[in-house]
Amino acid sequence: MCHTNPYKGLIRSLQQIGCTHVLDVYCQGLTSRKGRFQHDVEFSELQYEAAWRAGNWDFSLLYGEDGSPTSCQHIRNGHFNENLHSCLRALQEGDFNEFHKKLKNSKQELLFSIYHASEESTEYIHSTIIKLQIFYHLGMAWDLRWKSSSCEKMISPIELQNFLHEPVAPTMEQLSRLNLDWSCILERAQSHMSLLEPFIAFRGVLLQILNCRCCTAEHLLESASTLRKGSRYSQAAAALHEFKFLCNGMGEGCSHLYFLGRLEEAKLLRAQGQHEMAINLAKYISQHCQLNGEVADVYRLIGKWLAETRSSNSRTILEKYLKHAVTLAEDHKATDKKSTIRRSQMHFHLAHYADGLFRSYDERLNSNEWQAAMRLRKHKTKELEALIRRLKSSPKVEKTDYSVKIQELQKQLAMDKEEAEKLQEDTDNFLSTALRGYKRCLVIGDKYDLRVVFQLVSLWFSLSSRQIVVNAMLSTIKEVQSCKFIPLVYQIASRLSSPKDGQGPHNFQFALVSLVKKMAIDHPYHTIFQLLALANGDRIKDKQRSRNSFVVDMDKKIAAENLLKELSSYHGAVIGQMKQMVEIYIKLAELETRKEDTNRKVNLPREIRCVRQLELVPVVTSNFPVDYSCQYHEGSFPHFKGLAESAMVMNGINAPKKVECLGSDGHKYRQLAKSGNDDLRQDAVMEQFFGLVNIFLQNHRDTWKRRLRIRTYKVIPFTPSAGVIEWVNGHVPLGEYLIGRSGILNSVQSSSSTFGIL
């Protein structure tokens, strides 16, 4: 009814800002208006929801003579909050018959609604599943509050009712199953706050009914954090207010939890834009808190917030807060997963801030203004030398004037020199701190691997002439798992080249070769194909058009060949079979065909068709993950069993061939063997880039929720012009997409290559 819309809007607004008790009082006032809202089910549901959220078990809607009571004998559709209120009230009072009757009927109603829901109504289905999980938790809660081991021996319903007059407060051990199920729900639904928030409110009310004060306090603190991350700031503030009220009633035993709540309050203030208040509160906590292991996180947050707001000196932020946070975290010797993540986080924020300071100082050292200052300094030096010469040859009367000028210039030059030395020293210290922090972050955990590896490799490539960077990379290579650099394997491998004469062993190329060698030893199936492509860098067909367009770097070719020889002592059999398979694909890609064979199947030559299976080589277009233990046993990937007897010659200038590769897992992998004017190495790098974009989309809350991703396919180059591309099923040729299939069939066939829209 339209006249109830303003009331509904006000109820929803009060609920969203966390004014639970104000909303409950408002709803009680509305119930006194008999007969006005009796036929509006949605309005009744809002009132019942406000009642159970506030723990008001005396609430009920009683209509006048012309209405009917809401509590009828059967459960009606769309009365979830009314049913939930009844179940919670029965749980509170111990009404066995009412509870189980309502619980059973409510579950049946929800299952019936899912059965009849449209498959496209995912939001409705997810919401209904959450409601079912709420009732499932209610069933477990009944057994915790009103049953014990002795209850199971009771047979008589009368004895059971007498027993239910004494509720039992469950222990933390008895709540473990309920808490474990809640943790799973929180992990899966934390990005869907509209679905999760009702469950958060229900769980808080349920724990209050079970009289678990400690567990309730922990839940309120966790809820405040979850709601804050979901941008529900008002509801998070309401949860924190209730948390502090509960902690005050629990005495000194809750002091540790109380300071965690104050820290969450600081984070909430920060999220609401009250930066100064958040920083001041965090500083107060760092001076008065009793957080033990968590105190390092307080100093990290203060340093991070001061850096973001630029409200303190950079040296103070670095020394007093970020470095101090790292020291405190390292002193705390806990080895659990949470402590490991926290230590990794400390090192990352320290390294990231030091990295930013280094880049800022380095930019200043390379700026035009600084270069102009250096030129002025040289000019002053020459002027000083000239004055000294004049002083020696001048008469005694003029010596005083020259002495004064010389002293002024010497003072200025001393100050300039001190400033330059200090700036260079700070720059080196910041770089050293960043390198050490990034390395420790990689060694300790894997939360920041992707960001740290990119930052570290960026510093390494841009500062390869600085010995401090090369030494840091050599140390990192020895201590860090090589698989963490796998996402950059194309870029790292492509920089291989033979060392120049006169260079010592500890240079950029030595560190580069060391890293690639370690990756190839630990993860041969994710690295050696790139080395083979580099070793074939000068392999281009004599008849290849635009032959001169391919850039051949002989240093890279020689370096790759030398590295493959070294790796033969580790993976000689694997490399041998890989070379055999690569030769097969190159021959297939460069196979000469006639114009009339286009869009037809052709039999493959015997040397390609009759190759034996290669047990040590995976199907190149198959997907198998990187193994952190570096154990790639037989059967851990589908190996190459051969190619089909024929291949389809596709339309295009270079006549690519579509072929089926037989895998040991029984699957047929469709592939496109291609040799032409396009450099497939560039395509491979772009596909790798799209894969990284997918990782970033997966890690971001909003894009993960929307399931955004780029569909990728594998590109494996074997020479500058030849390689294999994973065939994408269901693609549409660009020409067909633009003008339709009939238009293509009626038009003159072009000699351009075929592109697909995925």
Side-chain angles (χ1 to χ4, degrees):
M1 300 174 67
C2 61
H3 66 274
T4 63
N5 287 337
Y7 299 97
K8 294 178 185 177
L10 183 56
I11 290 175
R12 292 192 183 97
S13 298
L14 289 171
Q15 180 179 313
Q16 288 177 1
I17 62 176
C19 297
T20 305
H21 295 284
V22 174
L23 174 58
D24 182 52
V25 173
Y26 177 67
C27 289
Q28 290 183 50
L30 291 177
T31 57
S32 62
R33 303 186 180 187
K34 296 182 179 180
R36 184 169 185 180
F37 312 111
Q38 64 187 51
H39 299 298
D40 196 328
V41 176
E42 181 185 3
F43 189 71
S44 300
E45 278 290 280
L46 287 172
Q47 290 180 289
Y48 272 109
E49 183 178 6
W52 70 255
R53 283 174 178 265
N56 180 9
W57 311 124
D58 297 329
F59 177 83
S60 63
L61 291 177
L62 299 176
Y63 298 143
E65 296 179 357
D66 56 340
S68 58
T70 60
S71 56
C72 57
Q73 295 298 320
H74 65 286
I75 301 297
R76 294 155 296 171
N77 186 34
H79 287 71
F80 165 75
N81 287 297
E82 180 181 350
N83 300 336
L84 179 58
H85 182 272
S86 299
C87 287
L88 288 169
R89 179 173 56 193
L91 177 66
Q92 169 78 15
E93 298 172 355
D95 191 337
F96 180 87
N97 294 328
E98 176 71 9
F99 179 85
H100 286 88
K101 178 183 175 181
K102 289 278 187 180
L103 187 68
K104 178 182 177 181
N105 291 338
S106 300
K107 288 181 179 179
Q108 290 177 347
E109 174 193 334
L110 292 172
L111 287 173
F112 187 77
S113 65
I114 291 179
Y115 176 78
H116 288 281
S118 170
E119 294 181 357
E120 288 78 15
S121 305
T122 55
E123 185 176 355
Y124 173 77
I125 293 174
H126 290 162
S127 175
T128 308
I129 290 174
I130 288 290
K131 293 175 181 177
L132 279 170
Q133 289 173 323
I134 286 176
F135 283 116
Y136 174 69
H137 277 222
L138 267 175
M140 289 194 293
W142 177 271
D143 295 336
L144 293 173
R145 179 170 171 80
W146 295 106
K147 285 188 179 182
S148 66
S149 58
S150 62
C151 181
E152 297 175 358
K153 301 178 182 178
M154 296 182 180
I155 301 176
S156 170
I158 298 176
E159 291 179 331
L160 180 60
Q161 288 295 331
N162 291 333
F163 178 80
L164 294 182
H165 287 296
E166 297 295 332
V168 178
T171 64
M172 292 297 293
E173 183 179 357
Q174 291 173 326
L175 284 169
S176 59
R177 184 183 172 190
L178 199 67
N179 292 336
L180 180 62
D181 199 48
W182 159 248
S183 299
C184 294
I185 293 171
L186 182 62
E187 182 179 356
R188 295 174 183 175
Q190 59 181 335
S191 61
H192 302 274
M193 194 53 58
S194 59
L195 297 176
L196 185 61
E197 192 278 329
F199 206 123
I200 292 175
F202 157 75
R203 178 172 163 79
V205 173
L206 182 64
L207 292 174
Q208 288 179 359
I209 293 176
L210 295 176
N211 197 26
C212 303
R213 302 188 70 184
C214 185
C215 194
T216 302
E218 292 178 356
H219 168 73
L220 288 171
L221 180 58
E222 184 181 45
S223 300
S225 176
T226 304
L227 291 166
R228 170 181 57 82
K229 293 174 183 177
S231 301
R232 301 288 186 98
Y233 301 139
S234 298
Q235 292 173 324
L240 276 177
H241 176 77
E242 192 174 350
F243 166 81
K244 288 192 286 186
F245 179 78
L246 185 61
C247 284
N248 290 333
M250 295 173 66
E252 294 294 329
C254 196
S255 59
H256 177 79
L257 201 62
Y258 174 78
F259 275 108
L260 287 177
R262 296 305 305 271
L263 181 59
E264 178 58 37
E265 183 180 355
K267 293 179 181 179
L268 180 60
L269 289 170
R270 170 70 178 167
Q272 291 175 318
Q274 302 182 46
H275 308 300
E276 187 176 351
M277 290 182 63
I279 293 172
N280 290 336
L281 178 55
K283 287 181 178 179
Y284 171 81
I285 295 171
S286 68
Q287 297 168 3
H288 300 87
C289 70
Q290 304 172 11
L291 293 179
N292 299 328
E294 290 85 355
V295 69
D297 196 44
V298 180
Y299 280 95
R300 178 189 66 83
L301 286 174
I302 297 173
K304 177 186 174 184
W305 294 344
L306 288 173
E308 290 176 353
T309 57
R310 298 184 179 181
S311 52
S312 184
N313 180 271
S314 59
R315 200 174 304 278
T316 301
I317 296 172
L318 196 66
E319 300 292 337
K320 185 177 179 180
Y321 295 107
L322 295 180
K323 284 189 176 181
H324 188 51
V326 168
T327 303
L328 291 172
E330 291 293 347
D331 291 341
H332 192 64
K333 299 300 182 181
T335 57
D336 58 286
K337 184 178 180 181
K338 186 176 180 181
S339 298
T340 301
I341 293 175
R342 183 182 294 119
R343 288 169 57 206
S344 178
Q345 194 175 36
M346 304 301 165
H347 284 286
F348 173 76
H349 282 286
L350 171 61
H352 185 68
Y353 185 64
D355 189 2
L357 290 177
F358 162 73
R359 295 179 189 274
S360 175
Y361 276 51
D362 189 60
E363 183 179 352
R364 181 183 173 187
L365 287 173
N366 294 313
S367 64
N368 294 331
E369 292 79 4
W370 184 260
Q371 298 302 321
M374 291 297 100
R375 289 193 297 270
L376 180 59
R377 180 180 168 187
K378 290 181 180 179
H379 178 73
K380 288 181 180 179
T381 303
K382 292 179 180 179
E383 185 179 353
L384 177 62
E385 294 173 353
L387 286 173
I388 292 174
R389 287 195 299 268
R390 292 177 186 176
L391 177 64
K392 293 178 180 179
S393 60
S394 63
K396 189 174 182 179
V397 180
E398 299 178 0
K399 286 185 181 292
T400 305
D401 295 336
Y402 284 121
S403 298
V404 173
K405 292 181 180 179
I406 289 172
Q407 289 177 1
E408 290 179 356
L409 276 176
Q410 286 177 335
K411 185 177 180 180
Q412 292 177 13
L413 286 170
M415 293 176 61
D416 292 343
K417 183 180 179 181
E418 183 181 357
E419 180 186 4
E421 289 177 350
K422 182 63 176 174
L423 188 62
Q424 188 62 54
E425 181 184 359
D426 288 343
T427 304
D428 294 339
N429 289 336
F430 293 146
L431 177 59
S432 178
T433 301
L435 292 171
R436 286 198 306 269
Y438 284 144
K439 173 188 167 183
R440 288 295 299 161
C441 190
L442 290 175
V443 171
I444 292 172
D446 55 4
K447 181 178 180 181
Y448 299 98
D449 281 357
L450 193 63
R451 295 177 64 182
V452 169
V453 166
F454 270 88
Q455 292 286 90
L456 195 59
V457 172
S458 174
L459 287 172
W460 184 28
F461 285 176
S462 60
L463 303 171
S464 59
S465 60
R466 302 186 65 166
Q467 194 62 41
I468 184 177
V469 179
V470 176
N471 291 340
M473 281 306 303
L474 287 170
S475 175
T476 302
I477 291 167
K478 292 178 182 178
E479 299 184 37
V480 175
Q481 290 181 327
S482 60
C483 60
K484 297 190 176 186
F485 293 92
I486 290 293
L488 286 169
V489 65
Y490 278 106
Q491 288 87 337
I492 293 174
S494 65
R495 287 177 175 260
L496 278 178
S497 64
S498 299
K500 302 297 186 293
D501 295 336
Q503 290 187 348
H506 300 294
N507 55 18
F508 173 69
Q509 287 300 326
F510 180 80
L512 196 63
V513 172
S514 300
L515 177 56
V516 176
K517 182 178 179 180
K518 187 177 181 181
M519 285 195 294
I521 293 173
D522 295 341
H523 310 281
Y525 303 113
H526 298 84
T527 311
I528 292 181
F529 281 124
Q530 286 74 28
L531 294 177
L532 289 172
L534 286 175
N536 292 329
D538 63 339
R539 186 168 173 177
I540 305 171
K541 277 198 316 182
D542 293 335
K543 297 181 180 180
Q544 183 75 51
R545 293 200 311 168
S546 303
R547 178 183 174 86
N548 296 329
S549 64
F550 294 101
V551 178
V552 179
D553 192 329
M554 294 305 297
D555 285 338
K556 292 181 181 179
K557 170 184 167 60
I558 295 171
E561 289 176 344
N562 293 336
L563 189 53
L564 286 170
K565 289 178 182 178
E566 292 185 42
L567 293 172
S568 296
S569 59
Y570 300 92
H571 301 297
V574 173
I575 294 174
Q577 290 194 8
M578 282 185 171
K579 287 182 177 179
Q580 187 178 353
M581 189 188 68
V582 168
E583 288 296 324
I584 293 169
Y585 277 113
I586 293 175
K587 289 179 181 179
L588 175 61
E590 297 178 349
L591 183 65
E592 296 291 339
T593 58
R594 300 172 299 176
K595 188 174 181 180
E596 53 267 24
D597 292 332
T598 303
N599 294 326
R600 292 182 182 178
K601 285 188 176 182
V602 296
N603 292 328
L604 297 179
R606 183 179 180 84
E607 58 179 340
I608 296 177
R609 186 175 69 249
C610 298
V611 64
R612 63 180 180 86
Q613 64 177 342
L614 306 174
E615 298 88 351
L616 302 178
V617 180
V619 177
V620 290
T621 55
S622 63
N623 292 309
F624 59 99
V626 173
D627 189 344
Y628 277 67
S629 64
C630 309
Q631 301 296 320
Y632 296 95
H633 300 292
E634 184 178 352
S636 61
F637 56 82
H639 68 257
F640 180 88
K641 291 192 68 174
L643 300 175
E645 295 185 353
S646 61
M648 174 74 75
V649 180
M650 307 302 294
N651 184 29
I653 297 175
N654 302 290
K657 293 87 183 173
K658 184 176 77 170
V659 68
E660 288 184 344
C661 175
L662 308 179
S664 60
D665 56 356
H667 291 162
K668 294 181 179 179
Y669 296 85
R670 292 181 178 178
Q671 301 167 341
L672 192 69
K674 185 178 180 182
S675 175
N677 300 325
D678 299 327
D679 193 339
L680 292 184
R681 294 173 297 185
Q682 297 178 3
D683 293 355
V685 171
M686 286 308 302
E687 287 303 315
Q688 182 194 25
F689 171 74
F690 293 149
L692 292 173
V693 171
N694 282 336
I695 295 176
F696 294 137
L697 293 174
Q698 179 71 18
N699 292 339
H700 193 276
R701 177 183 293 267
D702 294 336
T703 53
W704 175 82
K705 181 178 178 180
R706 294 164 60 191
R707 301 293 190 269
L708 292 180
R709 64 182 296 271
I710 303 172
R711 185 174 180 182
T712 61
Y713 53 89
K714 285 202 167 185
V715 179
I716 304 94
F718 296 134
T719 72
S721 60
V724 172
I725 301 174
E726 179 183 0
W727 184 266
V728 180
N729 294 320
H731 74 281
V732 179
L734 181 60
E736 182 178 335
Y737 174 78
L738 294 174
I739 63 177
R741 185 169 181 79
S742 58
I744 292 179
L745 294 176
N746 295 331
S747 64
V748 179
Q749 286 193 347
S750 167
S751 61
S752 61
S753 59
T754 303
F755 295 90
I757 293 179
L758 307 184

